[in-house]
Amino acid sequence: MPSGSCCGLAEWSGVTGTVDSPARDVSGALLGPPLSCPGSPLYSTLVRAVCDSIPKRSSSLQSSAVGVIGRCGWPPGFTDESTQVLDGASLSFSTRLKWFAICFVSGIFFSILGTGLLWLPGGIKLFAVFYTFGNIAALASTCFLMGPVKQLKKMFESTRWLATVVMMLCFVFTLCAALWWHKKGLAVLFCVLQFLSMTWYSLSYIPYARDAVLKCCSSLLG
Protein backbone atom coordinates (compact mmCIF):
# COMPACT_ATOMS: atom_id res chain seq x y z
CA MET A 1 0.00 0.00 0.00
CA PRO A 2 1.36 3.52 -0.70
CA SER A 3 3.29 4.71 2.33
CA GLY A 4 2.37 8.37 1.88
CA SER A 5 -1.32 7.57 1.82
CA CYS A 6 -1.07 5.41 4.93
CA CYS A 7 0.83 8.12 6.75
CA GLY A 8 -1.89 10.60 5.86
CA LEU A 9 -4.55 8.26 7.20
CA ALA A 10 -2.60 7.86 10.43
CA GLU A 11 -2.35 11.63 10.87
CA TRP A 12 -6.07 11.98 10.17
CA SER A 13 -6.87 9.42 12.87
CA GLY A 14 -4.54 10.85 15.52
CA VAL A 15 -1.71 8.30 15.20
CA THR A 16 1.89 9.54 15.13
CA GLY A 17 5.10 8.10 13.74
CA THR A 18 6.48 7.25 10.31
CA VAL A 19 5.49 4.46 7.98
CA ASP A 20 8.79 2.66 8.58
CA SER A 21 8.78 2.84 12.39
CA PRO A 22 6.41 1.32 14.92
CA ALA A 23 3.19 3.30 15.13
CA ARG A 24 2.28 5.08 18.34
CA ASP A 25 -0.74 7.02 19.49
CA VAL A 26 -0.65 10.64 20.67
CA SER A 27 0.45 9.57 24.16
CA GLY A 28 3.40 7.63 22.75
CA ALA A 29 2.02 4.18 23.46
CA LEU A 30 3.05 1.46 21.02
CA LEU A 31 0.19 0.46 18.73
CA GLY A 32 1.71 -2.02 16.32
CA PRO A 33 4.02 -2.56 13.36
CA PRO A 34 4.70 0.13 10.78
CA LEU A 35 1.87 0.99 8.46
CA SER A 36 3.99 -0.01 5.47
CA CYS A 37 3.95 -3.66 6.65
CA PRO A 38 1.68 -5.74 4.40
CA GLY A 39 -1.57 -6.59 6.15
CA SER A 40 -0.83 -4.36 9.13
CA PRO A 41 -3.73 -4.74 11.60
CA LEU A 42 -3.29 -1.10 12.52
CA TYR A 43 -4.49 -0.06 9.09
CA SER A 44 -7.82 -1.80 9.74
CA THR A 45 -8.03 -0.03 13.08
CA LEU A 46 -7.44 3.33 11.43
CA VAL A 47 -10.06 2.68 8.76
CA ARG A 48 -12.60 1.76 11.44
CA ALA A 49 -11.75 4.94 13.34
CA VAL A 50 -12.28 6.99 10.20
CA CYS A 51 -15.67 5.37 9.50
CA ASP A 52 -16.85 5.88 13.06
CA SER A 53 -15.83 9.53 13.23
CA ILE A 54 -16.89 10.75 9.78
CA PRO A 55 -20.16 12.34 10.97
CA LYS A 56 -18.19 14.40 13.53
CA ARG A 57 -15.52 15.64 11.13
CA SER A 58 -15.42 18.64 8.85
CA SER A 59 -16.03 18.26 5.13
CA SER A 60 -12.37 18.93 4.29
CA LEU A 61 -11.20 16.15 6.59
CA GLN A 62 -13.87 13.84 5.20
CA SER A 63 -12.62 14.42 1.66
CA SER A 64 -9.01 13.88 2.77
CA ALA A 65 -9.81 10.59 4.49
CA VAL A 66 -11.87 9.32 1.57
CA GLY A 67 -9.01 10.08 -0.80
CA VAL A 68 -6.46 8.32 1.41
CA ILE A 69 -8.51 5.15 1.77
CA GLY A 70 -9.37 5.26 -1.91
CA ARG A 71 -5.66 5.13 -2.78
CA CYS A 72 -4.73 2.50 -0.18
CA GLY A 73 -7.78 0.32 -0.68
CA TRP A 74 -9.90 -1.40 1.93
CA PRO A 75 -8.24 -3.86 4.32
CA PRO A 76 -9.17 -7.55 4.06
CA GLY A 77 -12.45 -8.47 5.70
CA PHE A 78 -13.91 -4.99 5.64
CA THR A 79 -17.62 -5.03 4.82
CA ASP A 80 -19.43 -3.22 2.05
CA GLU A 81 -21.30 -1.25 4.69
CA SER A 82 -18.08 0.54 5.58
CA THR A 83 -17.61 1.45 1.94
CA GLN A 84 -21.13 2.82 1.85
CA VAL A 85 -20.44 4.99 4.89
CA LEU A 86 -17.55 6.67 3.13
CA ASP A 87 -19.40 6.86 -0.18
CA GLY A 88 -22.10 8.88 1.56
CA ALA A 89 -19.47 11.30 2.86
CA SER A 90 -17.59 11.72 -0.43
CA LEU A 91 -19.54 14.93 -1.06
CA SER A 92 -19.30 17.87 1.32
CA PHE A 93 -22.41 18.86 3.22
CA SER A 94 -22.74 22.10 1.25
CA THR A 95 -22.57 20.19 -2.05
CA ARG A 96 -25.12 17.63 -0.91
CA LEU A 97 -27.39 20.43 0.31
CA LYS A 98 -27.05 22.25 -3.01
CA TRP A 99 -27.99 19.20 -5.07
CA PHE A 100 -30.83 18.41 -2.72
CA ALA A 101 -32.22 21.89 -3.30
CA ILE A 102 -31.75 21.62 -7.08
CA CYS A 103 -33.57 18.28 -7.31
CA PHE A 104 -36.32 19.28 -4.89
CA VAL A 105 -37.03 22.61 -6.57
CA SER A 106 -36.88 20.96 -10.01
CA GLY A 107 -39.38 18.36 -8.84
CA ILE A 108 -41.81 21.02 -7.62
CA PHE A 109 -41.35 22.99 -10.84
CA PHE A 110 -42.09 19.98 -13.06
CA SER A 111 -45.13 19.06 -10.97
CA ILE A 112 -46.54 22.60 -11.23
CA LEU A 113 -45.71 22.73 -14.93
CA GLY A 114 -47.50 19.45 -15.51
CA THR A 115 -50.54 20.71 -13.63
CA GLY A 116 -50.60 23.80 -15.85
CA LEU A 117 -50.32 21.72 -19.00
CA LEU A 118 -53.32 19.69 -17.88
CA TRP A 119 -55.67 22.46 -19.03
CA LEU A 120 -54.29 22.60 -22.56
CA PRO A 121 -55.91 20.58 -25.38
CA GLY A 122 -54.46 17.10 -25.24
CA GLY A 123 -52.43 18.03 -22.19
CA ILE A 124 -53.25 14.91 -20.19
CA LYS A 125 -50.19 13.09 -21.52
CA LEU A 126 -47.86 16.00 -20.73
CA PHE A 127 -49.42 16.40 -17.32
CA ALA A 128 -48.87 12.74 -16.45
CA VAL A 129 -45.26 12.74 -17.65
CA PHE A 130 -44.18 16.02 -16.03
CA TYR A 131 -46.05 15.33 -12.79
CA THR A 132 -44.47 11.88 -12.50
CA PHE A 133 -40.95 13.08 -13.23
CA GLY A 134 -41.45 15.93 -10.78
CA ASN A 135 -42.36 13.51 -8.01
CA ILE A 136 -39.43 11.26 -8.86
CA ALA A 137 -37.02 14.21 -8.74
CA ALA A 138 -38.41 15.37 -5.39
CA LEU A 139 -38.11 11.85 -3.98
CA ALA A 140 -34.57 11.43 -5.30
CA SER A 141 -33.46 14.75 -3.80
CA THR A 142 -33.21 13.27 -0.31
CA CYS A 143 -30.60 10.81 -1.58
CA PHE A 144 -28.12 13.68 -1.42
CA LEU A 145 -28.87 14.28 2.25
CA MET A 146 -28.75 10.73 3.61
CA GLY A 147 -27.15 8.75 0.77
CA PRO A 148 -28.91 6.40 -1.66
CA VAL A 149 -28.28 3.19 0.29
CA LYS A 150 -29.56 4.61 3.56
CA GLN A 151 -32.59 6.07 1.84
CA LEU A 152 -33.47 2.75 0.22
CA LYS A 153 -33.24 1.03 3.59
CA LYS A 154 -35.54 3.63 5.14
CA MET A 155 -37.99 3.43 2.24
CA PHE A 156 -38.46 -0.29 2.79
CA GLU A 157 -38.72 -0.27 6.56
CA SER A 158 -41.78 -1.94 8.02
CA THR A 159 -43.60 1.35 8.57
CA ARG A 160 -43.36 2.59 4.99
CA TRP A 161 -42.64 -0.29 2.61
CA LEU A 162 -46.27 -0.54 1.50
CA ALA A 163 -46.47 3.17 0.68
CA THR A 164 -43.16 2.87 -1.18
CA VAL A 165 -44.34 -0.05 -3.31
CA VAL A 166 -47.66 1.67 -4.15
CA MET A 167 -45.80 4.87 -5.00
CA MET A 168 -43.34 3.12 -7.32
CA LEU A 169 -46.13 1.20 -9.06
CA CYS A 170 -48.05 4.43 -9.57
CA PHE A 171 -45.01 6.01 -11.21
CA VAL A 172 -44.78 3.14 -13.68
CA PHE A 173 -48.51 2.81 -14.33
CA THR A 174 -48.93 6.56 -14.86
CA LEU A 175 -46.32 6.59 -17.61
CA CYS A 176 -47.73 3.42 -19.15
CA ALA A 177 -51.27 4.81 -19.17
CA ALA A 178 -50.17 8.10 -20.71
CA LEU A 179 -47.55 6.96 -23.24
CA TRP A 180 -48.49 3.42 -24.26
CA TRP A 181 -52.03 2.58 -23.19
CA HIS A 182 -53.40 6.04 -24.12
CA LYS A 183 -55.90 5.90 -21.25
CA LYS A 184 -56.30 9.45 -20.03
CA GLY A 185 -58.62 8.55 -17.19
CA LEU A 186 -56.20 5.95 -15.85
CA ALA A 187 -53.31 8.40 -16.11
CA VAL A 188 -55.17 10.94 -13.98
CA LEU A 189 -56.20 8.25 -11.51
CA PHE A 190 -52.63 7.06 -11.07
CA CYS A 191 -51.47 10.66 -10.59
CA VAL A 192 -53.98 11.02 -7.76
CA LEU A 193 -52.71 7.77 -6.25
CA GLN A 194 -49.17 9.10 -6.60
CA PHE A 195 -50.11 12.14 -4.54
CA LEU A 196 -51.82 10.07 -1.86
CA SER A 197 -49.04 7.47 -1.58
CA MET A 198 -46.28 10.10 -1.49
CA THR A 199 -48.17 12.02 1.18
CA TRP A 200 -48.59 8.89 3.29
CA TYR A 201 -44.93 8.02 2.73
CA SER A 202 -43.77 11.50 3.77
CA LEU A 203 -45.94 11.49 6.89
CA SER A 204 -44.08 8.40 8.12
CA TYR A 205 -41.05 10.60 8.83
CA ILE A 206 -43.07 12.88 11.13
CA PRO A 207 -43.80 11.40 14.57
CA TYR A 208 -47.51 10.74 15.14
CA ALA A 209 -48.44 12.48 11.85
CA ARG A 210 -50.17 9.42 10.44
CA ASP A 211 -52.14 8.91 13.66
CA ALA A 212 -53.26 12.54 13.56
CA VAL A 213 -54.40 12.23 9.95
CA LEU A 214 -56.31 9.03 10.70
CA LYS A 215 -58.04 10.65 13.67
CA CYS A 216 -59.00 13.69 11.57
CA CYS A 217 -60.41 11.48 8.81
CA SER A 218 -62.34 9.32 11.28
CA SER A 219 -63.83 12.37 12.98
CA LEU A 220 -64.89 13.81 9.61
CA LEU A 221 -66.50 10.56 8.57
CA GLY A 222 -68.43 10.02 11.64
Side-chain angles (χ1 to χ4, degrees):
M1 70 181 64
S3 60
S5 297
C6 296
C7 187
L9 181 61
E11 293 171 356
W12 194 91
S13 302
V15 176
T16 59
T18 66
V19 296
D20 296 319
S21 63
R24 302 176 183 273
D25 62 13
V26 291
S27 65
L30 183 65
L31 292 178
L35 281 173
S36 57
C37 292
S40 170
L42 179 59
Y43 185 63
S44 298
T45 303
L46 294 181
V47 172
R48 173 59 62 190
V50 169
C51 291
D52 292 342
S53 60
I54 270 180
K56 305 175 184 177
R57 299 284 185 151
S58 66
S59 59
S60 60
L61 287 176
Q62 288 176 0
S63 301
S64 174
V66 171
V68 168
I69 296 176
R71 290 190 296 272
C72 287
W74 291 95
F78 236 70
T79 63
D80 292 337
E81 183 179 356
S82 303
T83 310
Q84 294 161 4
V85 171
L86 286 182
D87 286 344
S90 58
L91 297 176
S92 67
F93 179 75
S94 59
T95 302
R96 287 185 281 130
L97 189 62
K98 178 178 68 176
W99 280 105
F100 161 76
I102 291 174
C103 286
F104 188 75
V105 172
S106 298
I108 294 176
F109 170 76
F110 282 126
S111 296
I112 295 176
L113 177 62
T115 305
L117 294 173
L118 176 63
W119 310 108
L120 297 178
I124 295 291
K125 181 184 296 186
L126 293 175
F127 160 71
V129 172
F130 278 101
Y131 187 80
T132 300
F133 281 124
N135 285 337
I136 293 174
L139 180 66
S141 64
T142 52
C143 289
F144 291 100
L145 292 183
M146 65 180 71
V149 175
K150 186 176 181 180
Q151 169 151 339
L152 285 174
K153 289 181 179 180
K154 285 185 172 293
M155 289 174 66
F156 288 95
E157 288 179 351
S158 58
T159 55
R160 58 181 68 96
W161 71 266
L162 183 58
T164 299
V165 171
V166 173
M167 182 172 55
M168 297 297 182
L169 290 176
C170 288
F171 290 157
V172 175
F173 288 155
T174 301
L175 295 177
C176 289
L179 300 178
W180 292 285
W181 301 340
H182 304 292
K183 302 292 185 180
K184 297 179 180 179
L186 276 179
V188 174
L189 175 62
F190 287 131
C191 284
V192 173
L193 292 177
Q194 275 188 49
F195 172 79
L196 294 176
S197 59
M198 286 198 71
T199 300
W200 192 248
Y201 167 82
S202 301
L203 288 175
S204 67
Y205 289 95
I206 305 174
Y208 308 109
R210 284 181 170 180
D211 293 335
V213 170
L214 290 176
K215 287 182 180 179
C216 290
C217 291
S218 61
S219 62
L220 290 174
L221 294 175

